[in-house]
Amino acid sequence: QVQLVESGGGLVQAGGSLRLSCSASGRTGSMYAMGWFRQAPGKEREFVAAISAISWTVSWTGSRTYYADSVKGRFTISRDNAKNTVYLQMNSLKPEDTAVYYCACRMSSGSYYDLADYNYWGQGTQVTVSS
């Protein structure tokens, strides 16, 4: 089991920034990847960003990152190994970024982009961008 807890959501004006955090606990040494997804009202949950991970306990040098086209150049995913935490820095926010943002982890090989391949999910944090 892995437990994921997101934080950092809120209300921000268009053009502003927010940083989301996802703290992981439990079998973190078995994770293959961490990702962020989002779901806007009336829409399906969609991929935002992901970062590769073989183990929290070994060096993550060379970890690769993946982004949805809609956030490339504006969002950055990163991790703090010592804190078992993954971050999503969101800059130049747009009203269309408004959604509940979910952190997820994948416990085996698979797609970074497909939410069906992720095994554990956080409870979500609301991000609202006003125009």
Side-chain angles (χ1 to χ4, degrees):
Q1 293 277 351
V2 173
Q3 295 77 42
L4 303 171
V5 179
E6 304 101 330
S7 61
L11 174 64
V12 64
Q13 289 188 331
S17 299
L18 281 175
R19 189 178 79 158
L20 305 183
S21 300
C22 175
S23 178
S25 61
R27 291 178 52 216
T28 56
S30 300
M31 295 192 295
Y32 275 59
M34 296 284 291
W36 287 97
F37 292 77
R38 66 186 182 186
Q39 188 167 18
K43 294 188 177 181
E44 294 186 350
R45 194 169 298 188
E46 64 177 8
F47 170 79
V48 176
I51 186 166
S52 62
I54 299 301
S55 170
W56 289 93
T57 62
V58 300
S59 172
W60 283 27
T61 300
S63 288
R64 292 167 290 182
T65 56
Y66 306 82
Y67 297 96
D69 288 342
S70 60
V71 306
K72 279 181 182 177
R74 300 189 299 122
F75 291 10
T76 302
I77 189 170
S78 63
R79 83 296 190 209
D80 184 327
N81 295 349
K83 296 182 179 180
N84 279 356
T85 300
V86 170
Y87 303 99
L88 185 67
Q89 177 66 45
M90 305 185 295
N91 299 328
S92 302
L93 282 162
K94 305 175 181 179
E96 50 264 43
D97 294 317
T98 295
V100 177
Y101 283 70
Y102 296 91
C103 175
C105 71
R106 173 161 56 79
M107 306 298 286
S108 61
S109 60
S111 169
Y112 287 96
Y113 304 95
D114 190 347
L115 61 87
D117 282 2
Y118 286 77
N119 305 100
Y120 296 101
W121 294 80
Q123 81 287 352
T125 185
Q126 176 70 47
V127 171
T128 303
V129 184
S130 62
S131 57

